[in-house]
Amino acid sequence: MERVPAVETRERAVPRSIRSCCLLALALVLPGCTSDAPAPTAAEPRASSSTKSGAPRLSWGACPAPDVSEGAPAKKPGNDWECATLRAPLDYAKPHGDTIGIALIRAKATDQAHRIGSLIFNFGGPGGSGVTSLPAFADDYKSLRARYDLVSFDPRGVGRSEGVKCLDDKELDTYYAAGSTPTSPEEQQALVNRVEKYADGCRKHSHQVLPHVGTANAARDMDLMRQALGDDKLHYFGVSYGTELGGVYAHLFPQRVGRALFDAVVDPTTDPVQGALGQTRGFQLALDNYLADCPHQHDNCPTQQQITALLDRLGKQPIPGADGRQLTQSLATSGIAQSLYSKDFWDYLTEGVEDAENGDGRVLLALGDAMNGRSQDGHYSSLQASLTAITCADYAQRYSAQQISTLVPEFRKVSPVFGDFMAWGLTQCTGWPVKGEWQNPDVSAKGAAPILVVGNTGDPATPYEGARKMVQALGPGVATEMTYQGQGHGAYDSGNACVKNAVDAYLLNGTVPAHDKVCS
């Protein structure tokens, strides 16, 4: 979900995160598929130095093997990819103090004679690794690579860029399996205790970076990247939480915005409760769309009543999953949410619910593991820990169990499947050791170059209304809104030719589509 209560509301759907993430497919482990990540075998890329002009200089070299913290696929990027490390101030208030390494990856433009510059990608989360995501998705961006160097990065606190660590793998297995929808004061206190133990683990393992992983610092890092890459303007492709990051960049550096695409758009005007409610509606809408479509594809489709009954049973009695693990209510809810990120996963949801009703929890468990960043070999990426750390560094709001309990009926009314799960995800920052920076981000960007904002009417993690809110918040004359009438999270990678052609025309030629253009 994304910065959503434990899902990702700003892009995901797992109570423990309130944001949004579109990278989960990379970690998806289903029967017949693997996503094991081998231990690193190559040296880290060399770090940047500074030029006489003050701009950081990057030393590009061969990419190291995938790192488990990134939730990486099992193989290294091909020879056309190169990696580097950008040194950035850990604390921008102390520019000459400690530094943090920001891992970068790049594939150069194939048509150098007509090269525009670099196109920097952020695929969401917050907490997703761009270093692993960009090569994995690169085939979707062949047309853009003709004239752009494709560049992505692990934001500070993510993956190779000092990825946040909170608990070990065994502890995380227990944490994600535990009940997340308390029904008594004792269960509420147990949930709060678990969340506070998680926060204390983050403090113990990652205390140095926790105060400095917020979105504003990541935006400042992107401006250092722009300088290091030799670009006068920042050309940008942001997905899900990446749209929020792009909006904050545009606010801080409006005159440096080049061609920028915001896809699967986060509403920057909401607080965590409003955002979580919006995401709850989004996931319920996606579930409704799945339930309406399923009978046209299968004979064994579940009903919403069957799904809620299954989750209720799992809350009382888990069922066998895989490798001696059990499918609990929390893991099953995460798995159902994960399956709604893409219409391509709907068949897995059908299979997973049917199997679970017959006592086999393997498919829903695999989907839930994907949401939580767990690979088949039992290792967790930094995805969820980083998501929590970035969210709690950004947002100042902290919610008590008593406050959340009064909100549960409203969430439950919005979605009988996801309501309780999402509401109690608002405990995400309870006991967090760092204060948050804002109530909601300022993305006003007067004077910025035109930004293209694309909303998807069927998006579960970043509801469609967020696109219009982003356009309004960026300010008069800054952004143009385009609508995709589709399903799943995001628009450009949906396979819709109308969306792709319009975005490519904008990024490659500067042609801004007509305002309120609709693709279906």
Side-chain angles (χ1 to χ4, degrees), residues 298-319:
H298 301 281
D299 296 326
N300 57 333
C301 296
T303 64
Q304 179 169 286
Q305 290 73 23
Q306 285 178 290
I307 291 173
T308 55
L310 171 64
L311 293 175
D312 287 343
R313 289 197 300 274
L314 291 172
K316 300 178 180 68
Q317 182 61 55
I319 61 175

Side-chain angles (χ1 to χ4, degrees), residues 185-333:
E186 293 76 18
E187 290 180 352
Q188 292 175 15
Q189 188 58 53
L191 173 60
V192 169
N193 290 345
R194 287 197 302 273
V195 172
E196 290 182 341
K197 178 182 177 182
Y198 184 91
D200 190 55
C202 301
R203 179 189 59 78
K204 289 179 179 177
H205 294 293
S206 302
H207 65 279
Q208 185 176 11
V209 301
L210 292 184
H212 308 294
V213 297
T215 298
N217 281 337
R220 295 183 181 101
D221 292 342
M222 289 205 303
D223 202 59
L224 279 184
M225 289 176 216
R226 176 194 62 79
Q227 298 173 54
L229 292 165
D231 292 333
D232 293 330
K233 301 284 187 179
L234 182 101
H235 303 301
Y236 182 68
F237 194 125
V239 183
S240 200
Y241 160 76
T243 66
E244 181 179 303
L245 175 58
V248 171
Y249 179 89
H251 172 70
L252 294 175
F253 308 104
Q255 301 303 320
R256 298 174 193 168
V257 174
R259 297 171 188 171
L261 170 71
F262 292 0
D263 183 10
V265 188
V266 170
D267 182 349
T269 68
T270 59
D271 64 21
V273 171
Q274 295 165 339
L277 273 170
Q279 198 166 28
T280 304
R281 291 189 189 95
F283 275 88
Q284 183 62 45
L285 173 62
L287 180 63
D288 291 342
N289 291 338
Y290 156 76
L291 292 171
D293 178 79
C294 186
H296 300 290
Q297 316 297 330
H298 301 281
D299 296 326
N300 57 333
C301 296
T303 64
Q304 179 169 286
Q305 290 73 23
Q306 285 178 290
I307 291 173
T308 55
L310 171 64
L311 293 175
D312 287 343
R313 289 197 300 274
L314 291 172
K316 300 178 180 68
Q317 182 61 55
I319 61 175
D323 300 325
R325 299 168 64 217
Q326 291 189 313
L327 177 69
T328 65
Q329 183 191 69
S330 292
L331 290 168
T333 308

Side-chain angles (χ1 to χ4, degrees), residues 363-427:
V363 172
L364 287 183
L365 180 60
L367 288 162
D369 285 347
M371 177 68 84
N372 295 325
R374 186 186 194 274
S375 65
Q376 195 173 27
D377 62 6
H379 292 302
Y380 284 85
S381 73
S382 68
L383 175 62
Q384 286 287 354
S386 301
L387 184 155
T388 299
I390 295 168
T391 298
C392 300
D394 282 350
Y395 283 89
Q397 295 91 334
R398 303 292 186 258
Y399 300 98
S400 68
Q402 183 177 5
Q403 289 174 310
I404 294 170
S405 65
T406 65
L407 297 171
V408 168
E410 183 178 4
F411 276 78
R412 190 179 293 157
K413 184 177 179 180
V414 170
S415 173
V417 175
F418 300 109
D420 287 52
F421 191 66
M422 298 292 281
W424 286 106
L426 290 166
T427 57

